[in-house]
Amino acid sequence: MSKYVKISCLAPPNKEVDSGQGLEGVVLQMIAKWEKQLQHVLPEQPDLIVLPECCDDPQINATSPEWLYEFYRYRGNRILDFFAGIAKTHRCYIAYSAMVEMQDGTFRNATQFIDRSGVICGVYNKNHITIRQKSTSSTLYGKEAQVIETDFGRVACMVCFDINFNELLEQYVKQKPDLIVFSSAYHGGLMQSYWAYTCRAHFAGAIWRPDPCSILNPVGEVVGESTLFYPFVTRTVNMDCAVVHYDYNWEKLELVKQKYGSNVLISDPTRLNAFVISSESEAFTIQDIVQEFNLELLDDYWIRSRADRFKSGHLEP
């Protein structure tokens, strides 16, 4: 997989549209909106663009759920095809979050992951829609959560309300993603860092304003956020990394720095006693460093600690 991955997250204000132009006019207005907004990040030549939840929902005063679902049916794959064209032209992935109609007429709140050739390489259907959405529409809960394979690593997708459910998080932990993609209408607060740290994965969240879009590293540190005036953020992250604990590794990490200097980066978030270490050299991977210095990965340390508790004579009677 690629070592350095440039990620852009953006969530401009909802597009107020003129419904007097009919459904066709609304579709064209939404495409025009995203043509304009993407120009904020496309010059950066990102590898991945993450869009917020239901990114092509139009904003119209007194919109009824019935009208909105009529819009979804009318627009079909039109906006998906637009984003696919952008992905193909600019050789990037796009995480496109939208309501999708199934063959049986029901809907899913989905993230469709578009690859560099403009083809969908994976789909995630929101596992935990809200009670309100289910009670007011024909949208169904998703039931699967599989990581998506890309040329830069393994991607786990989730959408908005999903961030509150540990059963989804536990499914992804077992699959060892390199990146979590979060398309959302709200920020999630401390849960963003919790997901990044628990999965030992980078995190990219596109959040509707006024909350910021954010990119985090695998110990939950924010490495980039959008702002009120710039509702987009782009950062390059290093996927060739590992998470290790302070215990039994501190002296070894000192030796790593003495030998390799700036070719190995050690990021310490403080308070956590867990570090992200990454290879900044093409000459070796971080796993080469782990093996050379016999570093103990964080998850291996937790396994060893649990096992030690149950050794003979270690547990109180």
Side-chain angles (χ1 to χ4, degrees):
M1 69 181 182
S2 298
K3 174 180 290 190
Y4 298 107
V5 181
K6 187 177 290 186
I7 302 171
S8 294
C9 301
L10 70 161
N14 283 331
K15 172 65 175 177
E16 293 188 9
V17 299
D18 178 6
S19 60
Q21 297 182 28
L23 292 172
E24 178 66 16
V26 173
V27 170
L28 294 176
Q29 289 174 70
M30 294 307 301
I31 290 174
K33 165 197 172 171
W34 281 108
E35 280 183 322
K36 178 180 178 181
Q37 295 298 330
L38 287 171
Q39 294 310 311
H40 292 303
V41 299
L42 287 174
E44 300 270 7
Q45 298 181 312
D47 295 291
L48 169 65
I49 298 173
V50 182
L51 305 177
E53 181 182 21
C54 297
C55 71
D56 57 10
D57 273 15
Q59 182 177 343
I60 301 174
N61 289 334
T63 298
S64 69
E66 292 77 18
W67 184 93
L68 198 55
Y69 279 80
E70 183 182 359
F71 166 74
Y72 296 148
R73 293 186 180 94
Y74 181 85
R75 66 105 158 93
N77 289 333
R78 294 269 298 283
I79 298 177
L80 168 64
D81 292 342
F82 160 72
F83 283 119
I86 294 293
K88 184 175 181 179
T89 298
H90 294 272
R91 304 297 299 168
C92 65
Y93 289 83
I94 297 179
Y96 164 54
S97 173
M99 296 299 298
V100 177
E101 186 178 18
M102 303 289 105
Q103 289 185 349
D104 63 0
T106 62
F107 283 82
R108 304 293 184 274
N109 189 334
T111 296
Q112 298 174 87
F113 218 80
I114 306 167
D115 70 16
R116 298 183 197 269
S117 64
V119 175
I120 295 176
C121 61
V123 177
Y124 167 73
N125 294 328
K126 186 176 180 181
N127 278 207
H128 300 278
I129 61 175
T130 63
I131 296 172
R132 180 178 291 108
Q133 183 174 35
K134 181 66 203 75
S135 65
T136 58
S137 73
S138 58
T139 305
L140 299 182
Y141 293 86
K143 65 178 182 180
E144 295 183 354
Q146 299 296 324
V147 295
I148 299 168
E149 299 286 349
T150 73
D151 62 16
F152 58 78
R154 296 161 58 81
V155 178
C157 293
M158 63 167 172
V159 179
C160 200
F161 200 49
D162 278 330
I163 202 171
N164 298 292
F165 295 89
N166 272 353
E167 52 265 50
L168 179 61
L169 173 60
E170 290 165 3
Q171 286 186 66
Y172 279 139
V173 166
K174 296 174 183 176
Q175 298 178 64
K176 299 185 182 300
D178 301 293
L179 173 68
I180 300 164
V181 163
F182 181 50
S183 297
S184 188
Y186 93 117
H187 187 273
L190 61 85
M191 297 301 291
Q192 289 196 8
S193 293
Y194 178 65
W195 272 69
Y197 174 67
T198 303
C199 285
R200 322 291 186 235
H202 288 88
F203 182 104
I207 320 296
W208 283 117
R209 291 174 72 185
D211 289 323
C213 299
S214 49
I215 299 172
L216 284 66
N217 72 10
V219 288
E221 286 183 297
V222 175
V223 298
E225 280 190 336
S226 64
T227 68
L228 178 63
F229 297 106
Y230 295 95
F232 49 88
V233 59
T234 299
R235 291 291 186 275
T236 298
V237 300
N238 187 348
M239 294 292 185
D240 187 18
C241 64
V243 180
V244 301
H245 198 273
Y246 173 96
D247 291 350
Y248 304 100
N249 283 318
W250 179 251
E251 296 84 355
K252 298 174 184 177
L253 291 173
E254 288 290 305
L255 295 175
V256 170
K257 290 302 288 185
Q258 290 175 23
K259 181 173 181 179
Y260 290 104
S262 60
N263 285 320
V264 174
L265 181 64
I266 300 174
S267 178
D268 174 13
T270 71
R271 302 185 181 93
L272 195 59
N273 279 9
F275 309 142
V276 178
I277 57 173
S278 58
S279 167
E280 304 298 324
S281 171
E282 296 298 330
F284 53 81
T285 69
I286 201 59
Q287 289 305 317
D288 293 331
I289 297 298
V290 169
Q291 293 176 16
E292 179 181 351
F293 290 88
N294 194 28
L295 297 172
E296 186 173 30
L297 299 181
L298 181 63
D299 290 309
D300 293 334
Y301 182 46
W302 294 153
I303 291 171
R304 189 162 65 93
S305 296
R306 290 187 180 98
D308 190 74
R309 180 171 182 262
F310 290 102
K311 287 181 179 178
S312 178
H314 286 204
L315 191 64
E316 66 182 355

